[in-house]
């Protein structure tokens, strides 16, 4: 817990995504006055749920990594004060892999996974040991604050360690969690993902993203902070000593010397249009490469279609890979008894909002989903496709970029402007919702250090 400090102007957090909310939660727990400003009508960013025709859908969350007791991300939840507010559980299997040459249920435990794969692919047992060793080393390095020193792509390392193309397809499939293939995913990111999910295990959260967002908002408000929605920021005032205030749509100006920007960095560049002396930095963040986006098909089905199904199934066919999650497996709160919620997702280029592509993507995802759930095509009660334009509209992320930057190391949280600190996916130490919350925790520490 941080030490108390004298009364001062509020700290303003721009953006109520998980990075901004995590920063605000930690600061209010330390006794700081915090105001969170969110342009959308509800907090969460990508971490939201929504309802259609009595079905509940999660916009993004399928698993949280390493949040179990004694695991790497549990101290973060404890520090945020939300561990007791979250109902976390996990299935016996992380996912089913349905790929050419294999149909495997991948267990949550690293030892069990190694035994399964080494038995199925005995010629690669030694290479698998090297993969597990390198993944554990990379994960430990990141959580110790050390830089990742793994070069190349996931495909480079997998082809170095393993011989079986089927095995490479199976273990490389975790790169789909960040919308990449092994050929395009950095090796360090892949190793982090592999250890976090395949060794430590992916955890499900009852209530999905909304439960996580609600817990953070409740913690902020319990500490005296404010979370304002439909409060779009129109500018950040910067003077000779750094940040001086935040302009809000409608004419309000909030005087402050500390701002945490938990929003897409190209958008931040627009808010700093009048700031002097940071032209090069502003130009840099305005032109950062974008990560990919997603097509995500949300389907509500009449009837219970969960029998014999895994919560998550990765399907690889001639058209590439996609993932199907069925939140109703083990949890009928998403649709009610006798009905089913299912989602199918595939990667999409950021900015791809062509109507023909959307229709083709919807048809493909529906085909995969109904192929996995026999008879489902006759039971569709509601379906809706989220595409890059959807994500851009609701989150403000340019082109619907789902992971922030598309290449290179994350941006530093410190900026050339005194009093302006960064949080969110663009500066997160890795992929996923827990990594974004870690970025918020880091931003809070930096602000407190001022």
């Amino acid at each position: 817990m941080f030490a108390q400090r004298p009364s001062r102007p509020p700290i303003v957090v721009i953006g109520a995504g998980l990075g901004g909310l995590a920063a605000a939660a930690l600061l209010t727990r330390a006794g700081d006055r915090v105001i969170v400003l969110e342009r959308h009508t509800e907090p969460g960013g990508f971490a939201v749920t929504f309802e259609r025709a009595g079905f509940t859908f999660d916009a993004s969350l399928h698993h949280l990594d390493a949040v179990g007791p004694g695991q790497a991300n549990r101290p973060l939840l404890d520090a945020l004060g939300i561990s007791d507010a979250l109902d976390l559980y996990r299935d016996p299997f992380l996912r089913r892999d349905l790929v050419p040459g294999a149909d495997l249920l991948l267990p949550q435990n690293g030892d069990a996974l190694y035994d399964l794969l080494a038995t199925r692919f005995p010629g690669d047992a030694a290479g698998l040991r090297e993969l597990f060793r390198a993944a554990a080393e990379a994960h430990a390095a990141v959580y110790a604050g050390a830089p990742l020193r793994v070069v190349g792509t996931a495909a480079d390392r997998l082809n170095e360690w393993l011989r079986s193309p089927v095995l490479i397809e199976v273990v490389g499939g975790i790169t789909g969690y960040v919308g990449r293939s092994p050929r395009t995913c950095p090796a360090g990111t892949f190793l982090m993902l592999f250890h976090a999910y395949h060794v430590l295990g992916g955890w499900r959260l009852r209530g999905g993203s909304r439960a996580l967002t609600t817990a953070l908002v409740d913690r902020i408000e319990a500490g005296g902070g404010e979370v304002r929605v439909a409060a779009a920021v129109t500018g950040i005032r910067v003077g000779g000593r750094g940040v001086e205030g935040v302009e809000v749509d409608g004419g309000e100006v909030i005087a402050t010397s500390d701002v945490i920007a938990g929003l897409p960095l190209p958008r931040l560049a627009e808010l700093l249009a009048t700031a002097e002396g940071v032209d090069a930095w502003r130009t840099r963040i305005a032109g950062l490469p974008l990560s990919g986006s997603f097509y995500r098909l949300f389907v509500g089905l009449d009837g219970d279609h969960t029998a014999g199904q895994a919560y998550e199934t990765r399907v690889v066919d001639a058209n590439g890979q996609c993932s199907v999650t069925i939140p109703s497996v083990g949890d009928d709160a998403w649709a009610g008894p006798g009905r089913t919620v299912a989602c199918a997702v595939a990667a999409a280029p950021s900015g791809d909002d062509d109507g023909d592509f959307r229709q083709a993507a919807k048809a493909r995802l529906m085909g995969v989903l109904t192929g996995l759930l026999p008879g489902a095509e006759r039971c569709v009660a509601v379906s809706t496709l989220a595409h890059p334009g959807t994500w851009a509209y609701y989150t403000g992320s340019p082109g619907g970029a789902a992971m922030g930057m598309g290449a290179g190391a994350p941006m530093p949280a410190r900026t050339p402007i005194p009093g302006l600190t960064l949080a969110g996916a663009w500066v997160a130490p890795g992929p996923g919702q827990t990594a974004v919350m870690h970025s918020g925790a880091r931003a809070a520490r930096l602000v407190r250090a001022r």
Side-chain angles (χ1 to χ4, degrees):
M1 187 64 66
F2 299 119
Q4 284 279 9
R5 65 179 173 191
S7 177
R8 54 173 292 169
I11 299 166
V12 176
V13 176
I14 306 175
L18 291 179
L21 291 176
L26 285 169
L27 291 168
T28 55
R29 292 197 84 194
D32 284 304
R33 181 183 166 209
V34 181
I35 300 173
V36 182
L37 303 173
E38 169 58 44
R39 61 185 285 276
H40 189 34
T41 55
E42 65 175 299
F46 280 94
V48 296
T49 63
F50 63 94
E51 288 74 36
R52 293 286 189 278
F55 296 90
T56 301
F57 301 102
D58 199 302
S60 64
L61 180 62
H62 47 120
H63 283 120
L64 289 172
D65 65 297
V67 292
Q71 293 186 335
N73 286 322
R74 189 57 173 240
L76 171 65
L77 302 185
D78 294 340
L80 291 167
I82 62 174
S83 295
D84 293 341
L86 304 179
D87 186 358
L88 295 161
Y89 66 105
R90 61 177 176 177
D91 303 300
F93 299 98
L94 179 70
R95 70 170 189 267
R96 176 189 179 193
D97 253 30
L98 189 56
V99 306
D103 183 353
L104 297 172
L105 283 171
L106 305 181
Q108 296 268 25
N109 175 273
D111 291 338
L113 177 64
Y114 175 82
D115 291 343
L116 170 71
L117 297 179
T119 300
R120 178 67 182 268
F121 306 95
D124 277 317
L128 283 167
R129 282 195 294 271
E130 181 63 17
L131 165 61
F132 278 77
R133 183 205 62 76
E137 187 177 272
H139 196 270
V142 168
Y143 279 86
L148 277 172
R149 302 190 184 279
V150 186
V151 298
T153 67
D156 293 333
R157 301 287 72 78
L158 288 172
N159 287 319
E160 174 187 344
W161 295 325
L162 306 174
R163 295 180 296 175
S164 167
V166 176
L167 178 58
I168 290 172
E169 178 64 65
V170 170
V171 298
I174 198 70
T175 59
Y177 275 29
V178 292
R180 300 286 190 95
S181 73
R183 293 187 305 277
T184 61
C185 184
T189 299
F190 159 69
L191 292 173
M192 280 283 297
L193 289 167
F194 186 88
H195 187 80
Y197 289 99
H198 281 303
V199 177
L200 299 180
W203 292 76
R204 294 175 64 183
L205 173 59
R206 294 197 192 278
S209 289
R210 179 168 292 167
L212 183 56
T213 299
T214 298
L216 288 168
V217 171
D218 288 348
R219 175 54 58 192
I220 293 165
E221 293 178 342
E226 301 177 57
V227 179
R228 302 184 191 176
V229 297
V233 172
T234 58
I236 299 174
R237 294 187 177 183
V238 179
R241 295 187 177 182
V243 170
E244 294 182 344
V246 172
E247 301 168 359
V248 186
D249 190 25
E252 181 184 8
V253 177
I254 302 174
T256 182
S257 57
D258 277 299
V259 167
I260 294 175
L263 74 168
L265 296 191
R267 173 60 179 148
L268 176 62
E270 297 173 6
L271 300 182
L272 292 168
T274 61
E276 297 181 357
V278 291
D279 292 349
W281 184 76
R282 185 171 54 229
T283 300
R284 180 187 177 195
I285 64 173
L288 288 171
L290 304 178
S291 75
S293 189
F294 290 95
Y295 293 117
R296 191 171 179 94
L297 179 66
F298 304 95
V299 180
L301 301 168
D302 292 323
D304 186 347
H305 298 265
T306 63
Q309 297 295 331
Y311 166 64
E312 180 174 3
T313 300
R314 188 175 74 101
V315 179
V316 178
D317 57 22
N319 295 311
Q321 73 169 350
C322 68
S323 179
V324 175
T325 56
I326 309 173
S328 295
V329 170
D331 186 356
D332 63 11
W334 296 91
R339 300 201 301 172
T340 305
V341 159
C343 304
V345 61
S350 62
D352 181 3
D353 204 25
D354 182 277
D356 292 338
F357 288 163
R358 293 203 305 267
Q359 290 306 311
K362 184 173 183 178
R364 184 202 168 206
L365 292 174
M366 184 64 82
V368 171
L369 192 152
T370 55
L372 193 63
L373 305 176
E377 67 276 6
R378 300 186 299 274
C379 303
V380 176
V382 62
S383 67
T384 185
L385 179 75
H387 50 86
T390 310
W391 309 122
Y393 177 80
Y394 285 107
T395 70
S397 183
M403 304 289 173
M405 287 178 57
M411 288 289 292
R414 294 186 185 274
T415 76
I417 301 174
L420 178 62
T421 307
L422 305 181
W426 296 79
V427 297
Q433 293 191 346
T434 50
V436 173
M437 289 190 289
H438 274 294
S439 79
R442 178 178 57 192
R445 289 193 295 270
L446 291 173
V447 169
R448 290 292 300 184
R450 276 172 48 85

